[in-house]
Amino acid sequence: MNQLEIRDLWASIDGETILKGVNLVVPKGQVHALMGPNGAGKSTLGKILAGDPEYTVERGDILLDGENILELSPDERARKGLFLAFQYPVEVPGVTIANFLRMALQARLGREVGVAEFWAKVKKALELLDWDEAYLSRYLNEGFSGGEKKRNEILQLLVLEPTYAVLDETDSGLDIDALKVVARGVNAMRGPSFGALVITHYQRLLNYIVPDRVHVMMDGKVVAEGGPELALELEAKGYEWLREQVKEGA
Amino acid sequence: MSEVDLKTLGEEYKYHFVDEVKPVFVAERGLTRRVIEAISYHKGEPEWMLKFRLRALEIFQKKPMPTWGPDLSGLDLDNLVYYVKPAETRDAKSWEEIPEEIRRTYERLGIPEAERKVLAGVGAQYDSEMVYHRVREELERQGVIFVAIEEGMKKYEDLFKEYFAKVVPPEDNKFAALNSAAWSGGSFVYIPPGVKVELPLQAYFRVNTPEFGQFERTLIIVDEGAEVHYIEGCTAPMYSTESLHTGVIEIVVKRGARSRYTTIQNWSTNMYNLVTQRALVYGDAFHEWLDGNLGSKVTMKYPSSYLLEPGARTEILSIAFAKTGQHQDTGAKIILGAPHTSGTIVSKSISKGEGRASYRGLVKVLEGARGAKANVECDALLIDPESRTDTYPYIEIEEDTAHVGHEATVSKINDEQIFYLQTRGLKEDEAAALIVRGFIEPIAKELPLEYAVELNRLIELEMEGSVG
């Protein structure tokens, strides 16, 4: 029950089927990686978990600690403890990170959050991310570099403390220092009451966030699973190798 | 005004309540010579003012209704009541002197409390008359005048006559003529040279009588090197028939002075709000208009600054919010009439449902205004597919060395932004309201905190249940 479970999930956009029967379980307390070549449907899965209305779910279930959340709106899912770190975080001009983050925290906790409590939380997160307080008065993602946007996603992760997080290619476009900072943030969240699905194209990030399990997606479904060594094997042999394996197995 | 009142959150318009006030005099309907004579009689005016009013009445009757802007066909000028005297006491200096029913209204609106906390002076107008005016004693000692305009006319006649109707003459437009004929209430403000009034002065306008026209007239003179911030707020209960608010605001900003005039207009949505606001700005002086238009059925308001001497500067910031059934036709006007004058217009409008927001503006640089600079930025945000916005930017340049820039954007509330904010736990309408707040932030941040909070709260109310 204490897990994020995806059961035989089929989904499409504009009539094109992208997910073709995804099965995947992330138990609470574990960090899993989701790998796969471009176009495999990894990011689509992330957005559908968060409830993106652009996509149509045709079949299957998404269970959050045993509760089916498919019919819930994105904000209801978020308040139940699901978080998506976006691959391309959206700019919202005129809204400061501080204002936004406090509103989000109040929504997440379902109560008013005093300024002192809020600052204590944010300060801790900023220190961990090696980020300047001045960012809090900047407008949400406006004019941010790719690296700043990703760091801001992790800041939100740390402050909102979700039960399950999906990180959609948070490593893309990051240099090695930024990558380490992001990993530090995610690793700080690790513990018995947190589960994560880290979506990545490359093995690189997994040197810093060592996953408990690795799932590999191809053509809209999960085709392989294994321990951290699977990621290394993929890195060495490439996705084509796995494609052949899957074909032979079929 | 100051704190977000959770009890009233969710009410569409919180000023609906009708006050149980029995006026002491109500003029007959329509605007006639007889009505004007009655107004003049009740005010005990000098003869020259009655003559001025009657001349303005003639101009009003001759001028056609403007047809270049919003639809005014629902406005039945013959059926309006042009003068309602709410009480015998006029312009009290303490709230206790005001009849209890009227006082209760202002208490409900939080005015006496705001006066104690954040204002340098307060004026309150109820239907046709100012019922209260008071300015802090230390300012009075420095020679600051903040009184009802009628008192200004009688007590400071020379000063009054020097400027009254000089900034906005009755010939200016049909509604300026109407105001000139029927004016009643408003403030007379004089800030002596070098006096800096740190806290804002506020006037509060309340309309209670149905099918009524409120015609306040405000004259503000900021003498050399002085500083002032004047704020105006307006509310009215909702009636089934239309009412009219036609103010005229005249401001004179003398050499080296600074002034700011802020309006947060939140009339009920059956009000026609047709206002003329103009400032004459002299050498190295600075005048700022900050104009928020949320309520009313139709608003036509184009605050204008005439930069008359070298170094005069102005900034005009405006926000308009138009919902279904509302047309906000607002904008700004800057005349750059001397070398090295400069002006900025920032206009932001939000249209929701079938609401329509129009920007109408003029920047004019006169010949000889060497090195004059002006910049116009107008941004429109559309909430729904049927929302509408239009832009009418007029630019006239007679001077080669002038520099005028213009930028306009139209955006829609973006689904990706909504989804992003929703994944952080905000409900769809909260997300939309936050995006709107962000959109007006560059202007809201210029407001005193209490007003920024109030503005944000109003926007949230307007946005509730607006999407999904």
Side-chain angles (χ1 to χ4, degrees), chain B residues 179-314:
Chain B
N179 175 285
S180 299
W183 71 265
S184 183
S187 300
F188 178 73
V189 178
Y190 174 74
I191 315 293
V195 173
K196 294 177 170 49
V197 182
E198 311 266 340
L199 292 169
L201 299 174
Q202 174 158 10
Y204 208 89
F205 296 93
R206 172 81 179 166
V207 161
N208 192 54
T209 303
E211 293 165 349
F212 168 69
Q214 189 178 56
F215 306 99
E216 99 278 3
R217 179 124 197 162
T218 288
L219 176 56
I220 300 174
I221 302 147
V222 193
D223 216 324
E224 296 189 0
E227 283 184 29
V228 72
H229 181 188
Y230 187 93
I231 299 176
E232 162 200 309
C234 335
T235 65
M238 188 70 169
Y239 294 111
S240 55
T241 46
E242 273 70 18
S243 291
L244 172 65
H245 172 253
T246 290
V248 167
I249 316 297
E250 300 181 280
I251 303 181
V252 178
V253 192
K254 294 202 176 174
R255 200 159 297 182
R258 291 179 72 91
S259 68
R260 174 189 260 192
Y261 191 98
T262 297
T263 310
I264 301 293
Q265 175 267 110
N266 189 24
W267 294 116
S268 55
T269 50
N270 57 353
M271 268 282 182
Y272 284 85
N273 183 45
L274 314 172
V275 175
T276 309
Q277 303 185 160
R278 188 172 303 157
L280 304 183
V281 190
Y282 291 89
D284 298 317
F286 177 64
H287 178 72
E288 187 172 9
W289 294 106
L290 215 158
D291 202 39
N293 296 297
L294 287 111
S296 87
K297 177 188 175 99
V298 171
T299 293
M300 292 173 76
K301 175 139 56 97
Y302 323 98
S304 52
S305 296
Y306 286 47
L307 309 178
L308 301 176
E309 287 180 358
R313 292 180 303 128
T314 191

Side-chain angles (χ1 to χ4, degrees), chain A residues 50-52 74-75 78-79 83-84 86 90-91 93-95 100 103-104 107 139 141 153 156, chain B residues 414-417 419-428 430 434-435 437-439 441-442 445:
Chain A
D52 192 336
D75 51 295
R79 291 197 295 272
F83 180 90
L84 171 67
F86 280 53
V90 182
E91 301 192 2
V95 176
F100 155 70
M103 277 181 80
Y139 296 146
N141 294 322
E153 295 293 284
Q156 295 170 42
Chain B
N414 174 324
D415 290 343
E416 281 177 24
Q417 288 175 323
F419 175 58
Y420 182 67
L421 295 173
Q422 272 189 289
T423 65
R424 302 306 186 244
L426 305 188
K427 293 186 184 120
E428 200 174 358
E430 290 170 344
L434 189 64
I435 293 166
R437 278 171 54 175
F439 175 73
E441 162 72 10
K445 73 174 187 216

